Amino acid sequence: MPSKPSTRIAEPLLGGPDGIHLAAAGAGFRRGQAYVLAGLLGLTTFLALALQGPCLSSGYEQPAASARMCAGPLSTAFLGHVNPEVDGRSHGGMAGLSVLEARLADLMRLMTDDVSVFMVAVLLLNVLGIAALGAGLLVLARSRAWLVGIFASPLILFTLGSTLDPVALALAVWAMALFAGSPPLRPRPWLSGLLLAVAAFINPLALLVLLALTLSGPHPAGRLAPRSPRMMLAAATITSAILLVLNGDAIDRVIHWLSDAVDGGSFAAILLMAQLGDAEVWAPVWIIGSLGVVAAVAISLFMVRRSGLDPAVSACLLIGGCLLLAPGLMPWDSLWLLPFLVLAVHRWWVLIVWACAETVFAIGIQLGDIIGFDTDKGLEPAFVALFTLLRLLALVLVVIFAGENLYRRRIRGCLRPVGPPRRRDGETHPDVAFPGDRLSPDEPPRRGSAATVAGDPDETGAHDADAVRGGQGHGNRT
């Protein structure tokens, strides 16, 4: 008799639960997989540092630094420069930085005037942020093979020397892990609020992660225990108030962002490339539209909350909806979508399409900036607009599949207990092993049986109920 009878292997095809033939990975296999993924993340980070290597030898100071993928908001602001005069790009400069990024630039300027020394400090901080991000994802995820989508992501290559968003994203991921209390961590809602408040002063998209945890905390998916978000919200509010007092120009920066919000990668940038209107007109329109999408997504999540909300899926939908109509969508902004996308969508082709779209846009936007210095060598705005449009279509695809995850969780409901099929009176099948059968009343379920795969509370490494219900379309248990 084979170890896995055909009746068990064909169970999903015959209408049984998806993944009934899968067994839980052992601790040794999961540990080895974590080491391999950590090594892959280290290799990706090394390639990102190698990309920034030539820029450290006065590459940031060159007028056409974009041609060598050296230009970024931090290096440009530290030098006292602004972005080139190109249609669809914001002015940038020191006023365009976030509060904590501006404070870092001011602090380093007291020590040195060399932009290469400043960027070395930035790269070191971002490398630590990427390492913390990878560790947090290994804690959150159960199906760790999907993490290849972020550990080998081209976004890490193109954003490591741009802003401090890798550090802020690592804070947001660890805030989610601490709020959910994923083993071996204990829940720390107050610490989650503190981390998200600090991350919000680097990129306001961290507030959407705070909103996702607030919505999913009382009604979590899977076997997560309900969490009250009150302590998290209180800690975030107090921390934000303290940072606002310590940084008096935070309000002025917000006002500047509202007037200089249109940047590359958005529908508003495409309109400016087509010479339709100006940034002062389109910025408030697209900001209001983006806030409207966030409100609609939040209301939708609130309406289906009783079916269970996965924090990663909620964050993916909120961030994706916000970026869809945001007036600026640069690579460091889409980096915020990546970890929650990998946790929410388990279709390889979606991850590949998103990675390709981000790669083409990241290179195209840099080459498009060269027109501000040399009109004969830069990439034409028509091609930049085309790459931007393809990237936005990929973003729409991502939001659709993240929403499909939520929809499938809504319509499938709870997993039914799996037992042997009904038999007629007097009919026996002594040679067939059915899922969940036991040889004796005192014998535990077989390894890989339905009781183990569906998520036995005693099996910490077993697949969760979402993976059994929906196969590839479901998010991981965070």
Side-chain angles (χ1 to χ4, degrees), residues 78 92 155 175 201 233 348 352 443:
F78 187 84
L155 279 175
F201 278 80
L233 293 175
W348 281 108
I352 292 173
E443 182 182 354

Side-chain angles (χ1 to χ4, degrees), residues 38 41-50 52 119-135 156-157 159-168 170 174 335:
L41 180 62
L43 177 61
T44 305
T45 308
F46 174 78
L47 293 177
L49 292 174
Q52 294 291 320
M119 291 306 299
V120 167
V122 171
L123 290 174
L124 289 177
L125 289 175
N126 283 340
V127 167
L128 294 177
I130 292 296
L133 172 63
I156 297 177
L157 299 177
T159 59
L160 196 67
S162 300
T163 63
L164 292 179
D165 281 271
V167 177
W174 274 102
L335 180 67

Side-chain angles (χ1 to χ4, degrees), residues 288-305:
I288 294 174
S290 180
L291 294 178
V293 172
V294 170
V297 173
I299 293 173
S300 301
L301 293 174
F302 182 78
M303 293 176 62
V304 299
R305 67 191 186 281

Side-chain angles (χ1 to χ4, degrees), residues 8 11-13 15-21 415-418 450 468-469:
R8 289 189 57 219
E11 184 75 14
L13 301 178
D18 298 332
I20 193 65
H21 60 287
L415 183 69
R416 293 184 306 172
V418 179
V468 178
R469 286 200 301 267

Side-chain angles (χ1 to χ4, degrees), residues 179 189-190 193 210-211 214 228-239:
F179 181 79
W190 65 270
L210 179 67
L211 178 59
T214 302
S228 175
R230 296 177 182 176
M231 185 62 69
M232 178 184 64
L233 293 175
T237 303
I238 295 174
T239 305

Side-chain angles (χ1 to χ4, degrees), residues 196-271:
L196 288 174
V198 174
F201 278 80
I202 298 178
N203 195 318
L205 290 176
L207 296 177
L208 298 181
V209 182
L210 179 67
L211 178 59
L213 294 179
T214 302
L215 292 172
S216 60
H219 302 278
R223 299 190 304 272
L224 290 176
R227 308 289 182 198
S228 175
R230 296 177 182 176
M231 185 62 69
M232 178 184 64
L233 293 175
T237 303
I238 295 174
T239 305
S240 300
I242 295 175
L243 291 177
L244 285 174
V245 171
L246 296 178
N247 297 274
D249 60 345
I251 304 299
D252 296 334
R253 291 186 180 278
V254 172
I255 296 175
H256 175 79
W257 291 344
L258 296 178
S259 62
D260 190 32
V262 178
D263 206 352
S266 61
F267 286 109
I270 295 177
L271 295 176

